[in-house]
Amino acid sequence: MRRTRHAVRLTSAFVTLSVLAACSTAAPDPEPTPPEPTQTATATVDPSVEMPDSPVGDQAQWVLDQLAADAGPTSAETAAHFSASFLVEVPAARLTVVFDELRTSGPWTAVDVDAVADDAVVRLHDGSGEPWRMSVSVDPAGAITALLVKPDLGGDRTPATTWAEVHEQLTALDAGVSLLAARVTPDGQCEPITAIDADESRPMASIFKLYVLGALADTVDQGWARWSDLLTVTDDVRSLPSGQLQDQPNGTQVSVSQTAAGMIAVSDNTAADMIMALVGEQAVQAAMAEMGHSDPGSNDPFLTTRQFFTIGWGPDNLSDDWRRAGADERRAMVEAVPAGPLAVTGGDVDGPAWPAGVDWFGTAEDICAAQVALNDRPLDDPDTQMLRTILGHNRGITIDEATWPYVSFKGGSAPGVLSGSWFGERADGERFFFAMQAAAKDEQALAARSDFFDLAEDAFALLAGE
């Protein structure tokens, strides 16, 4: 039986093997130091293959050596081999998990390499002889800035050059999908350019954090909190990755602005729960309505990530009860989620929970309204500048900065769920929105995620000419 093959994409903008994620920034780096790896052998390389004698060749060989090791890399090793900006987005502990997952498909053999300047593509065979591709990029100092390991499906992907091709590639997924590309009018309306079921409610995963950020902005506007206030990490708010704050010890204090930045840019789940504890669920519900969500009641109660993990995959197997429950019964279940250390681990999160209603739901049109609500504020307001800094730190994909000087991004992923949303301001002042959602009952249907986000790059190339 052929083993399942998963794509692993690591850049300073995106991590595909996250539990509930999308992207991130400015949280402190609290990573614990993993045990030192034991090197069992260097990576197998076909005798006809020679890694280039260059920084990118050296880093490609280092990655192969790590795949041949028993464990690791350590925090010290990741600091020595990856750029600082990369490690802000992809913490050392997360890298260790990714390498561990890749090792299960080994032993790996390099069979070909192409390298030009700071980029290299290494063709690999896994332990079953299946073909893979590893892409590595380095910065001028020789540090890794991007790493992509994925099954080689034969040939390079051909970018979509028309909206029809974008539709074709998205609908080819074995999933329910939605898409909306829209022009944002001067009065803040989302004027569709092209769409696929943009009014269909689907799970959003971490895109829900846009509403938490909106509630926080309202709380700051009303004077109930300041960006400089300090929030505290405790077991009552500690969640699972993605993010970094879950690794901080109890009592660690982080500013509201830094917590919000981590929530958006690295999709820090603990940060999201810390902010929800500050503002309260009712404020998030109110913000959702104010930000134009068409059916706020579909997210009542509005889950924290701890509640999401506990109900979806916790030891009491609550997801079926959640499926059958009404709003009052669901609220009772949420209130019964215990405080203190979370009784769910990353290893428990196996299989989609969204078919039971365990997620946050909205349409592509709802997400457009939310992005516009956060970005359509007076530019001379300091709070607006703070929001734009938080939202614009991580674009999620490669988007030409000359054409698109400002892009606000929030994406999300959970078992069986992929989503991404972008609000972009073009250099000529025109404003656009693009979003995709995919929901599958089979988690493996969305396992090769990189092409999903490649479509967003194609979409921005098309929007550049609208």
Side-chain angles (χ1 to χ4, degrees):
M1 181 176 179
R2 178 178 296 182
R3 74 182 71 187
T4 302
R5 300 190 293 162
H6 301 269
V8 179
R9 184 183 188 182
L10 297 172
T11 72
S12 60
F14 186 68
V15 188
T16 63
L17 286 177
S18 55
V19 173
L20 174 62
C23 306
S24 8
T25 188
D29 189 358
E31 301 310 321
T33 302
E36 290 287 336
T38 301
Q39 297 283 348
T40 57
T42 58
T44 303
V45 180
D46 187 285
S48 64
V49 178
E50 184 176 350
M51 290 296 144
D53 184 13
S54 66
V56 73
D58 292 344
Q59 294 288 27
Q61 183 61 59
W62 178 80
V63 172
L64 292 172
D65 290 344
Q66 288 299 314
L67 293 176
D70 290 336
T74 66
S75 293
E77 287 172 324
T78 57
H81 288 272
F82 289 88
S83 69
S85 61
F86 186 108
L87 291 175
V88 168
E89 310 296 343
V90 188
R94 180 66 188 138
L95 280 169
T96 301
V97 172
V98 169
F99 275 100
D100 284 344
E101 290 176 344
L102 286 171
R103 288 185 187 104
T104 64
S105 295
W108 295 88
T109 303
V111 296
D112 187 29
V113 60
D114 291 315
V116 178
D118 294 332
D119 303 298
V121 176
V122 182
R123 290 171 177 81
L124 306 170
H125 286 168
D126 65 15
S128 299
E130 295 292 333
W132 290 62
R133 291 163 62 91
M134 178 177 79
S135 300
V136 184
S137 298
V138 299
D139 63 17
I144 297 173
T145 57
L147 175 61
L148 168 63
V149 183
K150 69 176 181 178
D152 189 346
L153 303 180
D156 293 327
R157 173 183 176 272
T158 301
T161 58
T162 66
W163 288 117
E165 291 175 351
V166 172
H167 283 220
E168 180 182 11
Q169 292 188 34
L170 183 61
T171 56
L173 292 174
D174 186 17
V177 298
S178 297
L179 175 149
L180 177 61
R183 185 184 302 273
V184 179
T185 63
D187 62 351
Q189 299 301 307
C190 297
E191 188 176 86
I193 296 170
T194 188
I196 301 173
D197 292 339
D199 59 352
E200 181 78 17
S201 183
R202 300 195 191 279
M204 299 184 292
S206 280
I207 285 180
F208 85 87
K209 292 165 184 170
L210 293 176
Y211 298 109
V212 179
L213 183 62
L216 175 61
D218 290 342
T219 301
V220 171
D221 286 344
Q222 294 160 10
W224 294 105
R226 297 172 297 179
W227 295 109
S228 59
D229 288 347
L230 296 178
L231 303 179
T232 304
V233 178
T234 68
D235 283 339
D236 290 342
V237 294
R238 192 186 311 281
S239 189
L240 295 178
S242 57
Q244 300 178 15
L245 288 179
Q246 75 279 348
D247 297 321
Q248 290 280 37
N250 283 342
T252 299
Q253 292 192 312
V254 188
S255 70
V256 168
S257 62
Q258 194 176 14
T259 306
M263 177 180 70
I264 298 300
V266 291
S267 210
D268 194 306
N269 293 326
T270 298
D273 286 6
M274 290 168 68
I275 293 174
M276 285 191 66
L278 171 68
V279 303
E281 183 199 347
Q282 288 186 345
V284 180
Q285 291 278 8
M288 188 165 42
E290 292 168 3
M291 294 165 68
H293 195 289
S294 59
D295 184 15
S298 64
N299 295 298
D300 184 11
F302 197 98
L303 298 174
T304 66
T305 69
R306 286 171 54 89
Q307 293 161 352
F308 167 79
F309 289 123
T310 300
I311 294 169
W313 298 274
D316 294 331
N317 299 314
L318 296 173
S319 60
D320 285 342
D321 292 341
W322 185 266
R323 183 201 313 267
R324 294 187 293 266
D328 290 342
E329 294 170 304
R330 287 185 172 186
R331 183 158 299 283
M333 292 171 65
V334 163
E335 292 173 352
V337 171
L342 193 61
V344 186
T345 68
D348 298 323
V349 183
D350 182 22
W354 72 265
V358 185
D359 205 286
W360 303 265
F361 292 83
T363 70
E365 292 173 348
D366 293 334
I367 299 169
C368 187
Q371 281 273 17
V372 172
L374 288 169
N375 285 285
D376 203 17
R377 293 169 173 243
L379 292 179
D380 58 355
D381 185 336
D383 290 338
T384 299
Q385 291 304 313
M386 177 63 75
L387 286 175
R388 287 171 67 88
T389 298
I390 291 169
L391 289 162
H393 180 85
N394 186 347
R395 294 174 173 231
I397 55 176
T398 301
I399 301 174
D400 180 62
E401 292 190 21
T403 306
W404 301 96
Y406 173 77
V407 175
S408 163
F409 165 72
K410 189 73 198 83
S413 65
V417 181
L418 276 179
S419 59
S421 69
W422 294 261
F423 171 98
E425 294 178 355
R426 209 166 59 185
D428 62 0
E430 292 291 318
R431 304 184 302 168
F432 295 88
F433 170 83
F434 181 72
M436 296 182 297
Q437 295 171 270
K441 295 183 179 180
D442 177 4
E443 183 177 1
Q444 299 309 315
L446 300 177
R449 310 181 192 189
S450 58
D451 287 353
F452 179 88
F453 285 87
D454 288 340
L455 275 177
E457 296 185 2
D458 302 341
F460 268 86
L462 291 168
L463 290 173
E466 286 288 339

